[in-house]
């Protein structure tokens, strides 16, 4: 669907839906929602025939979703259950404008309206901020947590710099968990599915006294891999994780509330599987057969976090303090060649330790005319990261033969008979980051009249960053312990190079022979004179991010709004490129739309349009940086986009509710050079359209109730530019692109669930399916090893998952 067709459709729907509502509504615009002068008996209609009101905190205070002048997609606990979603990575397919690449759970990337941060290094920050109970989750390694007793998820589109702060230049995702309460309850679910999946979760809410409440919950999940290695028979993409949360709430009065919470996550799964697609792999077809031989394939995360939230209301004022400490360690090792050929072996590891402290203080004011919030925040982070790359001596030999015509290990094997093959050859780039961020913010909404409200907000941010790179050459312990007399090495070098550089009687290791003949500098991270020398850089950044909103209520059910908001992401460093630096990212977003509920809240119709322009948008590009293999280089450029978001829901009958949401976007680069190609005025890669149709059914038979949910998502094909075409051209001699139709194609996904709920809602039995049609798509064409080893690869998206679920609630 083109932007013009989409705009025409939205306009037609708006006229059809809004016009009847305008004809009905006269009189007091502040009349109760769903009741107008034309429908005085509307209160007689049961709530089951109305759409439920959704309360969100998108403006840092509780409001009806329909009255928030921001484009927000909200998922309640029921929505999450209907999709059988286990993390926010399962929600993007059913959210227009949101894309989450979670092939690696410790290194996910988040995209909102075509803008993402695809560099997971600790030298940079995300463009999409993740907040859990209002607490900023600064690193992607700790952001993709598994859902555990979640009340709702709010996806806020467009810059949220004023209220949420730095690193929300594209948007924010806010996850709100359930608080302990005064009701004794025990609930949970057990799932059994294909690929031997077993998942269970349980939540206990326990009032200890009249004012002290405890809530404990946990989830454990295990599933075997859905990809089978054709050579070893091993299943890959295995999943295993356990998460838990304990929260203690003290509410001594109706106006005072304290919540102390502890979160834990322990994830241990296979690293992302590389599917080779070139003629060097088992098959050029990504459907297989396939194999890879990565050493110690794994992805792990250990996360512990403590938070304390205090709230006190006095008159029209609400005082809030949020404090948190978070520590996590992740380790991800993954194959980068998609073959079992030792002469092409290449893998990478990301090893990270991170600790952060967050403190926010704010005061809110809410009266008949004015709603305001004033506050400040401090974020402190210390991180360590190792980016490791491992070859085998076999693949080093191939690399040196192609680059320098000097296959050193073949020479040692042929002329010296030394067992040098099959030895790991590793290089590390070690980083340390020390970041501090301080901010002060204020935001106020004033009701000029009963219909007109004006909002103005501003945030000042100061970021201080210190970053250190250290590259210490290569590590090859097997070659270090493999020794031979200098006379043998002299015979070899004399025959090959015409020199005899070693003392005849000395015992020389194969690693030292390599250093003497090839050089001490690394093959992957070639940093020259900085080899083994820590290099530190410091920068500071300042930003002022305002927002302005005008909102006009035509009546109690139809709200018009227009806004201008600024977003900011701090500058930073490429973790594998010593002394690299990129400037802060800034964006202005202009948006307008309306939110409406019609026919006594049986129809919800929301529509918005937007335009934004990014400056210094940061994105990584895989390019030749002087080493033997290409590296990820951070490139900056300006981009712009315009688009529209549509959200509709209809109560068809007491039993049926249907919905349709959609997003269209035209995203292009304004200035950008990548792969040596100028791609200004060309697409950024974002698909132009995503539409989701959903239906919910429930019917009470007296002896129980039947319920069913179905959701269908269509995403248009990826829009590529000349830089992508240049990559395709480079690998075309050894890749059969006719086999890759599902790589950038349109995507159609169906999720469904049907079940039976016993009287009293104490027991639920259901069957579910994710990707019901078992569509096989592929993500991430990676060419990091294509130049030297001719081994590009893709990663598989998840196949169809199905199973049964038993739920209980007492």
């Amino acid at each position: 669907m083109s932007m013009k067709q989409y705009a025409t459709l939205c306009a037609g729907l708006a006229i059809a839906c809004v016009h009847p509502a305008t004809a009905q509504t006269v009189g007091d615009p502040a009349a109760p929602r769903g009741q107008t002068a034309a429908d005085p008996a509307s209160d007689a209609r049961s709530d089951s025939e109305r759409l439920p009101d959704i309360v969100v905190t998108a403006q840092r205070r509780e409001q009806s979703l329909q009255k928030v002048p921001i484009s927000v997609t909200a998922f309640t606990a029921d929505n999450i259950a209907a999709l059988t979603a286990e993390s926010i990575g399962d929600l993007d397919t059913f959210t227009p404008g949101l894309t989450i690449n979670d092939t690696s759970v410790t290194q996910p990337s988040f995209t909102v309206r075509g803008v993402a941060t695809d560099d997971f290094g600790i030298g940079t920050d995300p463009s999409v901020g993740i907040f859990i109970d209002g607490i900023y989750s600064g690193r992607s390694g700790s952001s993709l947590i598994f859902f555990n007793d979640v009340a709702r998820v709010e996806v806020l589109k467009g810059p949220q710099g004023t209220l949420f702060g730095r690193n929300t230049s594209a948007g924010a995702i806010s996850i709100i968990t359930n608080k302990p309460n005064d009701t004794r309850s025990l609930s949970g679910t057990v799932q059994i599915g294909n690929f031997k999946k077993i998942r269970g979760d349980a939540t206990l809410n326990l009032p200890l006294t009249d004012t002290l409440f405890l809530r404990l919950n946990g989830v454990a999940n295990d599933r075997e891999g859905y990809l089978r290695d054709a050579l070893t028979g091993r299943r890959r993409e295995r999943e295993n994780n356990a998460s838990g949360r304990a929260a203690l709430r003290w509410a001594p009065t109706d106006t005072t509330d304290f919540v102390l919470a502890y979160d834990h996550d322990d994830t241990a799964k296979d690293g992302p599987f590389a599917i080779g697609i070139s003629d060097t792999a088992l098959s050029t077809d990504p459907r297989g057969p396939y194999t890879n031989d990565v050493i110690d394939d794994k992805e792990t995360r250990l996360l512990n976090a403590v938070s304390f939230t205090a709230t006190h209301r006095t008159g029209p004022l609400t005082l809030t303090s949020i404090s948190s400490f978070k520590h996590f360690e992740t380790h991800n090792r993954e194959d980068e060649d998609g073959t079992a050929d030792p002469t092409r072996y290449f893998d990478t590891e990301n090893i990270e330790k991170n600790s952060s402290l967050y403190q926010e203080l704010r005061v809110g004011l809410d009266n008949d005319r004015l709603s305001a919030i004033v506050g400040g925040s401090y974020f402190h982070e210390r991180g360590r990261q190792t980016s490791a790359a491992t070859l085998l001596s076999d693949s080093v030999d191939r690399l040196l033969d192609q680059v320098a015509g000097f296959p050193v290990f073949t020479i040692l094997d042929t002329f010296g008979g030394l067992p040098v093959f099959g030895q790991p050859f590793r290089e590390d780039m070690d980083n340390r980051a020390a970041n501090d961020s301080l901010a002060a913010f204020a935001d106020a909404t004033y009701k000029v009249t009963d219909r007109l409200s004006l909002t103005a907000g501003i945030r000042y941010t100061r970021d201080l960053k210190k970053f250190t790179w250290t590259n210490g050459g290569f590590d090859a312990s097997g070659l270090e312990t493999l020794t031979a007399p200098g006379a043998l090495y002299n015979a070899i070098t004399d025959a090959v190079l015409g020199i005899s550089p070693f003392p005849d009687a000395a015992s020389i290791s194969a690693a030292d022979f390599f250093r003497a003949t090839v050089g001490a500098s690394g093959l992957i991270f070639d940093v020259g004179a900085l080899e083994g020398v820590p290099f530190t850089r410091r920068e500071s950044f300042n930003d002022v991010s305002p927002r302005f909103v005008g909102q006009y209520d035509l009546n109690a059910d139809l709200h018009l709004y227009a806004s201008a908001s600024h977003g900011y992401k701090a500058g930073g460093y490429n973790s594998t490129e010593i002394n690299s630096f990129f400037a802060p990212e800034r964006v202005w977003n202009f948006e307008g739309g309306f939110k409406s509920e019609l026919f006594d809240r049986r129809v919800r119709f929301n529509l918005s349009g937007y335009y934004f322009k990014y400056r210094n948008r940061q994105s990584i590009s895989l390019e030749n940086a002087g080493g033997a293999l290409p590296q990820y280089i951070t490139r900056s450029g300006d981009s712009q986009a315009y688009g529209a978001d549509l959200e509709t829901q209809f109560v068809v009958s007491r039993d049926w509710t249907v919905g349709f949401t959609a997003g269209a976007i035209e995203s292009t680069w304004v200035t950008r050079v990548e792969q040596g190609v100028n791609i200004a005025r060309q697409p950024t890669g974002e698909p132009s359209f995503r539409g989701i149709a959903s239906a919910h059914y429930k019917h009470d038979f007296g002896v129980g109730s039947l319920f069913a949910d179905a959701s269908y998502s269509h995403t248009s094909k990826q829009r590529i530019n000349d830089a992508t075409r240049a990559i395709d051209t480079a690998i075309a001699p050894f890749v059969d692109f006719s086999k890759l139709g599902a790589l950038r194609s349109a995507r159609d996904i169906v999720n469904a669930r049907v079940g039976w709920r016993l009287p009293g809602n104490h027991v639920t039995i259901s069957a579910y399916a994710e990707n019901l049609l078992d569509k096989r798509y592929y993500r991430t064409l990676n060419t990091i090893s294509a130049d030297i080893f001719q081994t590009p690869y893709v990663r598989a998206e998840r196949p169809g998952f199905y199973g049964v679920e038993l739920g209980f609630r007492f």
Side-chain angles (χ1 to χ4, degrees):
M1 182 179 291
S2 68
M3 284 291 293
K4 183 177 180 181
Q5 291 171 322
Y6 182 69
T8 302
L9 171 62
C10 291
L13 288 172
I15 293 171
C17 290
V18 175
H19 181 70
T22 304
Q24 290 179 2
T25 53
V26 294
D28 183 8
R33 177 168 37 204
Q35 179 175 339
T36 68
D39 189 11
S42 61
D43 284 341
R45 191 168 281 141
S46 69
D47 285 341
S48 64
E49 295 180 85
R50 294 173 176 160
L51 291 167
D53 193 18
I54 300 175
V55 176
V56 297
T57 52
Q59 295 193 116
R60 292 292 197 177
R61 61 183 184 274
E62 291 189 348
Q63 293 176 284
S64 168
L65 175 65
Q66 290 302 105
K67 293 185 177 181
V68 175
I70 300 172
S71 181
V72 182
T73 298
F75 293 89
T76 65
D78 288 341
N79 301 143
I80 293 170
L83 294 171
T84 325
E86 296 182 356
S87 74
I88 53 178
D90 297 324
L91 298 179
D92 67 330
T93 299
F94 301 94
T95 308
L98 174 67
T99 300
I100 300 174
N101 185 342
D102 62 346
T103 52
S104 168
V105 300
T106 64
Q107 298 169 235
S109 65
F110 300 86
T111 303
V112 171
R113 289 178 173 174
V115 177
T117 297
D118 43 16
D119 182 359
F120 53 83
I122 62 174
T124 188
D125 294 291
S127 299
V128 180
I130 310 298
F131 296 81
I132 303 172
D133 290 330
I135 299 167
Y136 176 62
S137 187
R139 290 287 144 218
S140 63
S142 63
S143 61
L144 194 71
I145 63 168
F146 296 94
F147 285 149
N148 197 12
D149 197 27
V150 168
R152 68 182 179 276
V153 176
E154 302 170 13
V155 180
L156 286 63
K157 303 169 189 177
Q160 307 298 322
T162 302
L163 287 171
F164 283 85
R166 62 197 275 275
N167 306 332
T168 57
S169 52
I173 299 175
S174 179
I175 302 172
I176 296 89
T177 64
N178 290 307
K179 288 184 178 181
N181 57 61
D182 60 358
T183 302
R184 187 186 303 268
S185 66
L186 174 65
S187 61
T189 62
V190 177
Q191 288 181 2
I192 300 175
N194 58 335
F195 301 109
K196 298 182 181 179
K197 180 182 180 67
I198 300 177
R199 180 187 185 276
D201 67 80
T203 299
L204 172 66
N205 192 88
L206 189 64
L208 302 177
T209 70
D210 290 342
T211 59
L212 188 64
F213 321 114
L214 176 67
R215 194 174 183 93
L216 304 172
N217 56 74
V219 57
N221 174 60
D222 187 81
R223 192 206 68 221
E224 74 174 9
Y226 53 82
L227 299 176
R228 187 181 293 278
D229 191 306
L231 295 187
T232 66
R234 174 187 166 187
R235 285 193 173 273
R236 305 292 188 115
E237 295 288 357
R238 177 186 62 89
E239 188 176 85
N240 180 273
N241 61 276
S243 301
R245 178 179 175 85
L248 184 67
R249 180 186 177 194
W250 181 43
T253 69
D254 291 340
T255 59
T256 304
D257 196 271
F258 303 96
V259 178
L260 176 66
Y262 166 69
D263 290 277
H264 173 78
D265 177 79
D266 189 349
T267 296
K269 61 182 293 293
D270 290 343
F273 187 87
I275 298 176
I277 54 171
S278 72
D279 54 16
T280 62
L282 285 184
S283 171
T284 59
D285 191 332
R287 293 173 296 182
Y290 31 68
T291 186
N292 65 47
D293 54 358
V294 61
I295 301 170
D296 194 21
D297 167 30
K298 66 180 179 181
E299 183 170 17
T300 64
R301 173 176 58 206
L302 187 63
L303 166 70
N304 291 286
V306 178
S307 64
F308 179 70
T309 302
T311 306
H312 177 69
R313 296 189 305 276
T314 174
L317 298 178
T318 300
L319 289 75
T320 303
S321 171
I322 301 176
S323 310
S324 79
F325 174 79
K326 181 179 295 186
H327 176 80
F328 71 86
E329 300 181 11
T330 65
H331 187 173
N332 178 37
R333 188 169 190 175
E334 56 191 62
D335 186 74
E336 299 286 3
D337 63 272
T339 75
D341 182 352
T343 71
R344 303 177 193 274
Y345 184 92
F346 182 40
D347 77 54
T348 60
E349 287 180 82
N350 182 68
I351 305 166
E352 185 175 350
K353 293 183 179 181
N354 186 284
S355 297
S356 63
L357 175 70
Y358 182 75
Q359 176 63 55
E360 180 175 317
L361 297 170
R362 64 176 185 257
V363 179
L365 169 67
D366 199 355
N367 59 32
D368 292 340
R369 287 289 182 187
L370 180 66
S371 295
I373 184 170
V374 177
S377 65
Y378 171 65
F379 179 73
H380 170 80
E381 177 188 32
R382 291 293 183 270
R384 295 184 179 183
Q385 182 179 34
T386 296
S387 298
T390 300
L391 303 164
L392 292 180
S393 51
D394 312 61
S395 52
V396 169
D397 211 53
R398 174 183 286 273
L399 188 154
L400 290 174
D401 188 29
Q402 293 186 214
V403 173
F406 186 70
V408 60
F409 296 116
T410 294
I411 292 171
L412 288 175
D413 176 70
T414 302
F415 292 92
L418 297 176
V420 290
F421 286 116
Q423 299 296 330
F425 185 99
R426 168 172 161 161
E427 294 184 35
D428 291 353
M429 180 69 78
D430 294 313
N431 304 129
R432 292 194 177 192
N435 303 322
D436 293 276
S437 179
L438 299 97
F441 59 92
D443 191 84
T445 299
Y446 181 71
K447 295 186 69 173
V448 180
T449 70
D450 288 342
R451 295 175 182 267
L452 177 64
S453 298
L454 299 178
T455 299
I458 192 168
R459 176 182 288 257
Y460 170 75
T461 304
R462 178 170 176 79
D463 285 309
L464 305 171
K465 289 193 170 188
K466 176 183 176 182
F467 196 79
T468 300
W469 298 263
T470 306
N471 176 240
F474 70 88
D475 176 21
S477 57
L479 298 176
E480 298 284 1
T481 58
L482 178 62
T483 61
L488 174 62
Y489 288 119
N490 283 331
I492 294 172
T493 55
D494 183 57
V496 178
L497 301 175
I499 59 173
S500 300
F502 302 103
D504 286 345
S507 179
I508 309 295
S509 72
D512 285 337
F513 178 84
F514 180 90
R515 294 185 182 97
T517 55
V518 177
S521 296
L523 297 174
I524 300 167
F525 304 116
D526 188 1
V527 298
L530 290 176
E531 194 77 44
V533 180
F535 185 93
T536 299
R537 182 163 182 167
R538 296 174 176 84
E539 300 289 343
S540 63
F541 312 97
N542 298 277
D543 176 75
V544 175
S545 289
R547 79 162 183 153
F548 307 97
V549 184
Q551 184 170 343
Y552 187 78
D553 300 332
L554 283 178
N555 52 64
D557 298 312
L558 179 56
H559 313 285
L560 310 178
Y561 70 92
S563 66
S565 57
H566 183 268
Y568 153 79
K569 189 181 86 169
Y573 320 93
N574 185 324
S575 60
T576 60
E577 185 182 3
I578 292 181
N579 200 27
S580 62
F581 170 75
F582 41 86
E585 182 177 285
R586 305 181 193 275
V587 57
W588 269 105
N589 183 82
F590 303 93
E591 188 162 339
F594 66 82
K595 296 186 176 185
S596 63
E597 289 183 326
L598 316 167
F599 308 114
D600 191 23
R601 218 165 82 194
R602 292 170 65 89
V603 175
R604 182 170 292 155
F605 188 89
N606 301 334
L607 178 65
S608 64
Y610 59 88
Y611 168 80
F612 64 75
K613 185 170 183 178
Y614 265 81
R615 297 194 181 278
N616 292 323
R617 176 175 161 183
Q618 303 153 14
S619 182
I620 59 174
S621 175
L622 185 61
E623 300 183 16
N624 194 323
L629 291 167
Q631 295 183 28
Y632 289 105
I633 306 299
T634 301
R635 300 292 187 194
S636 296
D638 297 346
S639 71
Q640 65 178 3
Y642 61 91
D645 287 331
L646 170 70
E647 180 181 4
T648 63
Q649 282 184 287
F650 306 89
V651 176
V652 179
S653 68
R654 182 186 297 269
D655 296 333
W656 279 100
T657 303
V658 298
F660 176 71
T661 59
I665 186 171
E666 177 72 19
S667 177
T668 58
W669 290 107
V670 177
T671 59
R672 172 77 167 181
V673 175
E674 186 176 328
Q675 304 293 329
V677 179
N678 186 349
I679 54 174
R681 297 179 298 279
Q682 296 186 29
T684 61
E686 182 71 2
S688 60
F689 178 80
R690 176 176 293 159
I692 297 101
S694 61
H696 173 70
Y697 173 81
K698 63 177 180 179
H699 184 78
D700 189 352
F701 291 91
V703 294
S705 57
L706 176 69
F707 64 90
D709 296 279
S711 298
Y712 163 67
S713 171
H714 171 78
T715 304
S716 62
K717 66 180 181 180
Q718 181 182 347
R719 302 180 64 210
I720 64 175
N721 53 47
D722 286 346
T724 303
R725 294 186 185 95
I727 294 173
D728 290 351
T729 300
I731 65 175
F734 43 85
V735 172
D736 184 355
F737 275 92
S738 69
K739 305 289 188 180
L740 298 180
L743 175 63
R744 300 174 183 138
S745 66
R747 283 165 161 72
D748 296 282
I749 299 292
V750 176
N751 280 18
R753 186 179 70 146
V754 61
W756 183 264
R757 186 172 287 115
L758 297 181
N761 294 335
H762 294 308
V763 178
T764 301
I765 302 172
S766 61
Y768 67 88
E770 302 172 53
N771 188 6
L772 176 65
L773 304 179
D774 196 28
K775 295 285 189 178
R776 301 298 179 104
Y777 298 112
Y778 305 96
R779 192 192 294 253
T780 314
L781 172 60
N782 194 301
T783 59
I784 189 171
S785 58
D787 285 352
I788 299 299
F789 299 139
Q790 293 79 51
T791 50
Y793 65 85
V794 297
R795 300 205 190 279
E797 294 193 8
R798 287 175 291 224
F801 289 155
Y802 56 86
V804 294
E805 178 181 285
L806 172 67
F808 60 90
R809 183 184 301 274
F810 301 100

